[in-house]
Amino acid sequence: MPRTLLSMNDRPYHHGDLRRAILAAALDVIAADGPAGLSLRDLARRAGVSHAAPAHHFRDRTGLLTAIAAEGHGLLAAALTGAPDLREAGVRYVRFAREHPAHFQVMFSPPLLRADDLELTTARALSAAALTEAVATGAPAGDGPDARLTRIAVWSLAHGFATLLLGHNLDALLGDEDPEAVLRALPMTLFPST
Amino acid sequence: MPRTLLSMNDRPYHHGDLRRAILAAALDVIAADGPAGLSLRDLARRAGVSHAAPAHHFRDRTGLLTAIAAEGHGLLAAALTGAPDLREAGVRYVRFAREHPAHFQVMFSPPLLRADDLELTTARALSAAALTEAVATGAPAGDGPDARLTRIAVWSLAHGFATLLLGHNLDALLGDEDPEAVLRALPMTLFPST
DNA sequence: ACCACAACTTGACACTGACAAGATTGCCTC
DNA sequence: GAGGCAATCTTGTCAGTGTCAAGTTGTGGT
C-alpha cells in the first residue's frame, strides 16, 4: 500500500502526497489570481513544507505549469470524447473551461510551458484527436466544404467564448442568462438563414 | 514645443521621452516572451536609465501593463470603426491582434491590470462601442434574432481565432494558408446552408 | 538487517518590485 | 535674466522569489 489515506491530523512520513497538495494549491491560486500570482515558496508554505520541496516534484516553476497543462489536456480529451454532435462538442469545451479555469488558462499560455515536454505533447495530441473526432462524427448533413475548416471554426468559437467568459468580458452582455444556452444559439446567429 | 525631436546621438536632458522608450521596449518583450517575461529593471537597463526610473512614469508594474492595455483599446477602436460589414469587423479584429500581439495579450489579462483605472475603462468603453457599432451597421439582411447575440458570436469567433493563432495552435491546421482568408470562410462553415 | 534511493531540509546567491530620500534639470514667473 | 519650483531621474535599501548545491531523513527492496 504505497499511498495510504492520510488521517488528516498526523503528518505522514515525508508528507504523503506533496505532489497532489501542491497541484491543488496551485490550481486555487491560478484560478484566483492567474499564473502571475503563483509562487513556489507560497505553495510550499501552504503545504507546510520547506521552500525547496516543490522543486523535487516539478523541477521548475515551468515544470509545475507544464504538469498542469498536461493534466488539463487529459481532462479536456476526456470531456470531449463521445460528444454527439458539433454543437455539443463546443458546449463541452466551454464547460471544461468553466470547471477548470486554471488548467484552461495555463494550457494556452505557451511562454509559461516547456514546449518539448513529452507528457505535455502526448496529452495535447490526445485532446486534439478528441476534438478532431468530435468534428468528424458530428459533421453537418451536407458534409461541409472541409472538415479542417469546420474544426477551426468550432474551436475558435468555443475558445473565444470561453476565454471572454473567464475574463468577465461577457458579464454585461449576458446578464443573468445561462452561458451554455447562449452558446448553443451562437452559430445560427452568424448565418441566420434557417 | 514641449517635445523636441531628439537628434539620436546626444542624450537629451533627462532622457527625452522615457515613457515611450519603456513602452516600446515592453511591447517587444511581451510579444516575445509574454507578460511574464517582463521586468521593470530590464526595461530600465534597455533604456539606459536607473532601475527606479520607470516607476515615475507608470507607478507600478501593474501601471505599465494598464497603460499598455488602455493604448491597445484605443488602437482597437480605431481599427474597428468604419468596418463595412460583420465579416470585415472580424477580420479587422484579428488583424489588430496580429499587428499588436503584446497589446492584445495584455488587454485580456485582467489579473495584471488595475481594473478601476480611468484611462483604461474609458478606452475599453471606446473599443466596445466600436464593436457594437460595427455589428449594428453590418447586420445581415434578416436582422437576426438579437444584435446582442450577433455581437457575442462575432466577438467570440474572432477572439478565439486570434488567440489560437497567436498561441500557434493553428499552425499545423493552417499550413501556409493566409489566416485572413481562412477566417473569412469560417462563419459559413458553422452553418453550411448557402 | 542493510543499503540504495526517493523525499525533504538548509543555506546561499542573484534577481526582482517597491519604497524613501536625495540630486539634477528644464520651465515659469516676476 | 535670476530664482524658485516641479518634474524627472538616481542611489540606496528591503523583503520576497526562483534556483542551485549539499546535507539529512525516512522507506522500500533484497
Side-chain angles (χ1 to χ4, degrees):
Chain A
M1 185 182 311
R3 292 252 176 275
T4 96
L5 273 307
L6 21 123
S7 51
M8 61 186 66
N9 278 348
D10 56 324
R11 287 264 200 83
Y13 341 101
H14 276 280
H15 171 270
D17 50 357
L18 222 196
R19 189 183 165 91
R20 277 293 162 86
I22 290 195
L23 275 175
L27 292 175
D28 282 354
V29 173
I30 295 173
D33 298 339
L38 189 125
S39 147
L40 290 183
R41 288 176 113 105
D42 177 51
L43 298 180
R45 248 173 268 135
R46 296 189 187 217
V49 296
S50 83
H51 67 259
H56 192 268
H57 291 275
F58 301 102
R59 175 178 179 84
D60 266 330
R61 206 181 107 99
T62 302
L64 170 58
L65 293 168
T66 301
I68 290 177
E71 189 178 80
H73 277 289
L75 291 170
L76 177 59
L80 248 44
T81 51
D85 60 18
L86 260 186
R87 184 166 312 187
E88 207 58 27
V91 169
R92 292 186 183 199
Y93 190 94
V94 172
R95 196 180 297 160
F96 163 80
R98 297 180 69 197
E99 288 175 352
H100 306 280
H103 287 99
F104 186 77
Q105 279 182 78
V106 173
M107 287 162 64
F108 296 98
S109 299
L112 302 179
L113 308 177
R114 202 172 327 267
D116 59 340
D117 181 86
L118 182 64
E119 224 186 339
L120 175 60
T121 53
T122 64
R124 177 149 37 198
L126 221 84
S127 79
L131 182 57
T132 303
E133 184 215 5
V135 171
T137 70
D143 184 51
D146 197 344
R148 193 183 43 118
L149 282 185
T150 306
R151 181 178 152 183
I152 297 179
V154 54
W155 194 9
S156 293
L157 187 67
H159 190 82
F161 189 79
T163 302
L164 293 174
L165 205 62
L166 290 188
H168 294 107
N169 290 105
L170 298 180
D171 289 359
L173 287 176
L174 287 178
D176 55 353
E177 244 171 316
D178 177 32
E180 274 194 22
V182 171
L183 173 62
R184 279 179 219 271
L186 287 191
M188 77 183 63
T189 309
L190 282 174
F191 228 83
S193 17
T194 304
Chain B
M1 187 182 310
R3 291 253 176 274
T4 96
L5 274 306
L6 21 124
S7 51
M8 61 186 66
N9 278 347
D10 56 322
R11 288 262 199 83
Y13 344 98
H14 277 280
H15 171 269
D17 49 358
L18 223 196
R19 189 181 166 94
R20 277 293 162 86
I22 289 194
L23 275 175
L27 292 176
D28 282 354
V29 172
I30 295 173
D33 299 338
L38 189 127
S39 149
L40 290 183
R41 288 175 113 104
D42 177 50
L43 298 180
R45 250 173 266 134
R46 297 188 186 217
V49 295
S50 83
H51 67 258
H56 192 268
H57 291 274
F58 302 102
R59 177 178 179 83
D60 265 330
R61 206 181 107 100
T62 301
L64 169 57
L65 292 168
T66 302
I68 291 177
E71 189 178 79
H73 278 289
L75 290 170
L76 177 59
L80 248 44
T81 51
D85 59 17
L86 259 187
R87 184 166 313 188
E88 207 57 27
V91 169
R92 291 185 183 199
Y93 190 94
V94 172
R95 195 181 298 160
F96 164 80
R98 297 180 70 197
E99 288 175 353
H100 306 281
H103 287 99
F104 186 77
Q105 280 183 77
V106 173
M107 286 162 65
F108 295 98
S109 300
L112 301 179
L113 308 177
R114 202 172 327 266
D116 58 339
D117 181 87
L118 182 63
E119 223 185 338
L120 175 60
T121 52
T122 63
R124 178 149 38 198
L126 222 83
S127 78
L131 182 57
T132 303
E133 185 214 4
V135 171
T137 69
D143 186 52
D146 196 344
R148 193 183 44 119
L149 281 185
T150 306
R151 181 179 151 181
I152 296 179
V154 54
W155 194 8
S156 293
L157 187 67
H159 190 82
F161 189 79
T163 303
L164 293 175
L165 205 61
L166 290 188
H168 294 107
N169 290 105
L170 299 180
D171 290 358
L173 287 175
L174 286 179
D176 55 352
E177 244 172 315
D178 178 32
E180 275 194 22
V182 172
L183 173 63
R184 278 179 220 271
L186 287 191
M188 75 182 65
T189 309
L190 282 174
F191 228 84
S193 19
T194 303

